[in-house]
């Protein structure tokens, strides 16, 4: 049996300290029997973080991305990524960001700042919408703060930061192309959210019929995250492992993880994403020009 105290002790042992900003991906059933259920897991993490720490849950739409924006309600739309995330979202003290596909909910002193500006500040091109991983998103802010992400009984496949990496890499690639016409042409190849259905249709057809894609959404998929994990584990300070009940725990430093993964994927994009998307990056990088000398 796992208790709230067990969860707190496991968090401390793996490296969670008072004052940390901690994002979690989770599977409640992976723990075995938990006395107090999802609330006990949440309270155990909050105990480890102390009064100055902030706990963040992804409250994503996974079941029906196509209708995410038209059905979105910040107050009532459920989290589709596990009971623990949904339980945190429903707590009266939790605050949630206002973005239809990749919102987060948070509890703690940084919660208001983390969840404000997601849908308004600093858009980035991405198939899930220009604000899913915006400069004002919790994803950017946790990266900036030096937050941590823990996988509670899950593999690293659901690591939402892979989409944040995609958005950052696309942004950098486009910004480096100084020729406006070339940049516009490259951007026109990228699927936008209104084209999401067509992109999914092509993606499915490519897998079944080996047809080329006309709409691209450069992606680092869950399998690629699993390929990257052992590489990250060999880098000092990025990954730590632990156990709580039957659940394996994997803790990562967000900033170091993102920077390391982007460097690895940039060095060999074809090893971590579909060839059409890898080729898009290669063409964008080939069209890039050095930034003008400020002098």
């Amino acid at each position: 049996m796992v208790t709230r105290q067990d969860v707190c002790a496991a968090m401390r042992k793996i490296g969670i300290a008072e004052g940390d900003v901690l994002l979690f991906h989770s599977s409640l059933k992976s723990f075995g029997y938990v006395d107090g259920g999802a609330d006990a897991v949440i309270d155990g993490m909050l105990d480890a973080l102390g009064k100055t720490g902030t706990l963040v849950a992804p409250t994503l739409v996974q079941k029906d991305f196509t209708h995410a924006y038209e059905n979105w309600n910040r107050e009532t739309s459920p989290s589709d990524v596990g009971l623990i995330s949904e339980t945190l979202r429903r707590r009266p003290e939790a605050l949630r960001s206002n973005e239809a596909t990749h919102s987060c909910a948070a509890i703690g002193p940084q919660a208001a700042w983390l969840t404000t500006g997601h849908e308004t500040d600093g858009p980035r091109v991405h198939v899930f919408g220009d604000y899913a991983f915006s400069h004002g998103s919790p994803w950017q802010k946790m990266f900036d703060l030096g937050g941590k992400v823990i996988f509670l009984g899950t593999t690293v496949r659901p690591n939402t930061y892979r989409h944040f990496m995609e958005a950052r890499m696309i942004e950098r690639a486009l910004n480096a192309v100084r020729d406006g016409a070339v940049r516009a042409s490259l951007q026109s190849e990228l699927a936008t959210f209104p084209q999401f259905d067509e992109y999914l249709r092509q993606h499915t057809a490519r897998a079944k019929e080996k047809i080329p894609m006309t709409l691209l959404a450069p992606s680092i998929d869950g399998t690629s995250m699993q390929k990257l994990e052992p590489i990250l584990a060999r880098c000092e300070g990025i990954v730590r492992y632990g156990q709580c009940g039957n659940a394996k725990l994997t803790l990562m430093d967000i900033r170091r993880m993102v920077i390391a993964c982007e460097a690895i994927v940039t060095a060999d994009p074809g090893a971590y994403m579909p060839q059409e998307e890898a080729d898009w990056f290669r063409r964008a990088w080939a069209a890039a020009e050095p930034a003008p000398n400020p002098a």
Side-chain angles (χ1 to χ4, degrees):
M1 182 178 70
V2 174
T3 66
R4 169 178 177 171
Q5 292 75 22
D6 293 331
V7 174
C8 179
M11 295 298 107
R12 292 282 173 81
K13 186 174 182 180
I14 202 174
I16 300 302
E18 186 166 343
D20 278 346
V21 173
L22 178 65
L23 169 73
F24 65 85
H25 289 280
S26 58
S27 166
L28 180 61
K29 67 181 180 181
S30 70
F31 287 88
Y33 178 74
V34 180
D35 184 21
D39 281 304
V41 177
I42 293 168
D43 288 333
M45 289 191 284
L46 288 170
D47 291 343
L49 292 167
K51 293 181 179 179
T52 58
T54 300
L55 184 62
V56 187
T59 50
L60 282 53
V61 171
Q62 296 281 286
K63 295 178 181 177
D64 189 9
F65 275 125
T66 300
H67 300 100
Y69 284 93
E70 61 191 85
N71 293 335
W72 168 248
N73 185 305
R74 181 181 188 173
E75 303 301 323
T76 62
S77 293
S79 168
D80 291 339
V81 286
L83 180 59
I84 303 176
S85 67
E86 174 63 1
T87 301
L88 185 144
R89 180 195 75 81
R90 294 171 66 91
R91 286 196 172 193
E93 69 271 32
L95 300 175
R96 189 184 197 183
S97 64
N98 190 22
E99 201 284 324
T101 64
H102 286 78
S103 67
C104 290
I107 295 173
Q110 299 281 9
W113 178 71
L114 282 170
T115 58
T116 301
H118 193 164
E119 79 286 11
T120 58
D121 299 346
R124 283 190 175 108
V125 175
H126 200 277
V127 69
F128 290 127
D130 287 352
Y131 289 89
F133 300 97
S134 68
H135 289 266
S137 69
W139 310 102
Q140 178 68 55
K141 292 173 181 177
M142 287 185 283
F143 172 87
D144 292 338
L145 281 176
K148 298 173 181 176
V149 56
I150 192 164
F151 302 86
L152 305 171
T154 74
T155 68
V156 298
R157 286 182 66 90
N159 189 350
T160 306
Y161 265 98
R162 62 191 174 90
H163 298 312
F164 176 75
M165 298 173 205
E166 296 157 8
R168 277 169 45 96
M169 290 176 66
I170 292 168
E171 179 181 54
R172 283 200 304 273
L174 290 173
N175 286 348
V177 179
R178 305 300 174 192
D179 186 308
V182 174
R183 184 169 62 251
S185 177
L186 285 164
Q187 187 163 340
S188 72
E189 298 177 43
L190 301 176
T192 63
F193 192 81
Q195 299 167 311
F196 190 73
D197 272 345
E198 174 60 19
Y199 168 75
L200 288 181
R201 188 194 68 76
Q202 291 188 25
H203 189 274
T204 301
R206 173 177 61 185
K208 291 181 178 179
E209 304 166 24
K210 309 300 182 185
I211 66 167
M213 299 281 285
T214 59
L215 290 172
L216 304 178
S219 58
I220 304 167
D221 65 17
T223 300
S224 292
M225 285 309 306
Q226 289 184 297
K227 289 168 62 177
L228 288 162
E229 181 187 357
I231 304 174
L232 298 176
R234 294 195 292 270
C235 302
E236 185 176 354
I238 297 181
V239 185
R240 295 186 69 171
Y241 296 104
Q243 192 82 19
C244 186
N246 295 329
K248 176 184 175 182
L249 310 180
T250 303
L251 179 70
M252 293 190 181
D253 178 287
I254 290 172
R255 187 175 187 86
R256 292 180 181 179
M257 170 192 68
V258 168
I259 291 172
C261 286
E262 289 176 355
I264 295 165
V265 174
T266 298
D268 188 7
Y272 300 99
M273 60 179 61
Q275 286 304 315
E276 293 99 327
E277 280 88 342
D279 288 342
W280 183 90
F281 275 112
R282 294 186 186 103
R283 287 186 286 112
W285 295 331
E289 300 174 18
N293 190 325

